[in-house]
Amino acid sequence: MILMKAGGSAITDKSMDFSIKAHNLERLGRALATATEPVVLCHGGGSFGHPLARRYDLSGEITTPEQLRGVSHTNIAMRNLSNIVCEALIEGGCTPFALQTSAILTADRGRIDVFNTAIVHHVLSTGFIPVVYGDVVYDATYRYAIVSGDQIMRRLAEAFPGNRALFLTDVDGLYTADPKRDPGATLIRDIALADLGTVQAGEAGDVTGGMKGKVAEIAALEGVVTEVQVLSLSRDGALEAALRGGVGGTRIIMK
Ligand code: IP8
């Protein structure tokens, strides 16, 4: 079984609110239709969730009527994005089943508190692809809080241990430096989790703006997944290859 995170930058265009990367979503649908093992898909908020979370200041306690309106807007926006993702999957020949994350998960102080992963099991057992996503959810202390897809990935990996995880992004993988600024940047093919820190510490830096976050997301899966692959959803064939067990982008050995 494969735990898959489709990052917001892989499926949405962050330069414009509420816009998608249609070609990448098509690629996702077509590739997932070739999967020979069960897949759980978790997607990020991208240009649907994050601009609203920022605009309505949804980090920390939710107290003002304006923030509460923002919670409703964000809740709808993420459902809309999930619908778009699921429609792309159906178009590609898959059978997705969206689980509204805020209905199966609650938080406390922004961290996942209760997560009904049994429903994910049930949906998987019927041969469907469960689709969950970063969302705004009920929070016992803050009233509502944003729970990111990476927190969800960790809890999914705990519920389904011993599997591999694929992170879909818009660059080919992890680089030794920012490939958009440094012509000497090279793609890291294979790396042990223990060495990921060194890559960051040596002036390899904050690659493509997202490497730091990506590394933290991956490190959070220590002990619960066997390996992680980071690959581009913008590159034809990369996801299909990874689904067949090949290594396209960067492979992180987690043991
Ligand atoms: O993109 C955040 O999920 P992420 C979701 O996985 C919202 O961090 C609602 C901003």
Side-chain angles (χ1 to χ4, degrees), residues 5 8 43-46 49-50 53 74 78 134-136 146-150:
K5 165 91 191 284
H43 66 79
H50 289 282
T74 309
M78 288 310 302
D135 202 0
V136 62
I146 302 287
V147 166
S148 67
D150 45 305

Side-chain angles (χ1 to χ4, degrees), residues 8-250:
S9 58
I11 57 170
T12 74
D13 180 353
K14 288 189 175 176
S15 69
M16 205 197 307
D17 291 1
F18 311 118
S19 59
I20 55 162
K21 286 187 176 161
H23 291 305
N24 285 9
L25 283 168
E26 281 165 28
R27 247 182 233 111
L28 180 64
R30 278 198 309 269
L32 279 180
T34 69
T36 52
E37 50 186 317
V39 173
V40 178
L41 178 66
C42 173
H43 66 79
S47 68
F48 283 67
H50 289 282
L52 289 172
R54 264 194 305 275
R55 189 177 315 152
Y56 290 99
D57 187 21
L58 301 186
S59 60
E61 219 155 338
I62 305 297
T63 49
T64 69
E66 190 62 8
Q67 284 175 309
L68 292 171
R69 255 196 304 280
V71 166
S72 297
H73 280 305
T74 309
N75 179 247
I76 290 173
M78 288 310 302
R79 279 210 307 277
N80 287 342
L81 178 57
S82 171
N83 285 345
I84 292 170
V85 170
C86 288
E87 273 162 15
L89 263 53
I90 293 172
E91 198 60 36
C94 312
T95 46
F97 190 83
L99 295 165
Q100 187 188 324
T101 308
S102 55
I104 59 167
L105 184 159
T106 63
D108 192 9
R109 293 178 189 272
R111 305 300 301 173
I112 295 174
D113 185 13
V114 177
F115 185 2
N116 179 8
T117 52
I119 185 80
V120 182
H121 264 287
H122 296 323
V123 171
L124 264 179
S125 70
T126 60
F128 276 65
I129 300 175
V131 178
V132 294
Y133 47 90
D135 202 0
V136 62
V137 306
Y138 168 79
D139 186 290
T141 303
Y142 296 157
R143 288 217 224 174
Y144 291 92
I146 302 287
V147 166
S148 67
D150 45 305
Q151 266 201 69
I152 295 170
M153 283 292 281
R154 167 76 206 186
R155 294 291 283 255
L156 284 172
E158 285 170 3
F160 301 91
N163 292 293
R164 63 191 178 118
L166 298 184
F167 284 88
L168 309 178
T169 178
D170 64 344
V171 289
D172 280 326
L174 302 181
Y175 285 81
T176 55
D178 184 342
K180 288 174 185 157
R181 288 190 208 136
D182 186 342
T186 53
L187 180 66
I188 300 167
R189 289 288 178 192
D190 262 293
I191 189 164
L193 176 66
D195 296 330
L196 267 191
T198 359
V199 170
Q200 248 188 326
E203 280 314 294
D206 190 10
V207 177
T208 66
M211 176 154 153
K212 260 191 190 142
K214 192 65 56 204
V215 167
E217 280 182 50
I218 294 164
L221 298 179
E222 185 174 10
V224 275
V225 302
T226 52
E227 71 169 51
V228 173
Q229 276 185 56
V230 182
L231 53 121
S232 175
L233 188 56
S234 307
R235 187 175 289 285
D236 276 330
L239 178 55
E240 279 93 338
L243 288 169
R244 284 195 303 270
V247 182
T250 301

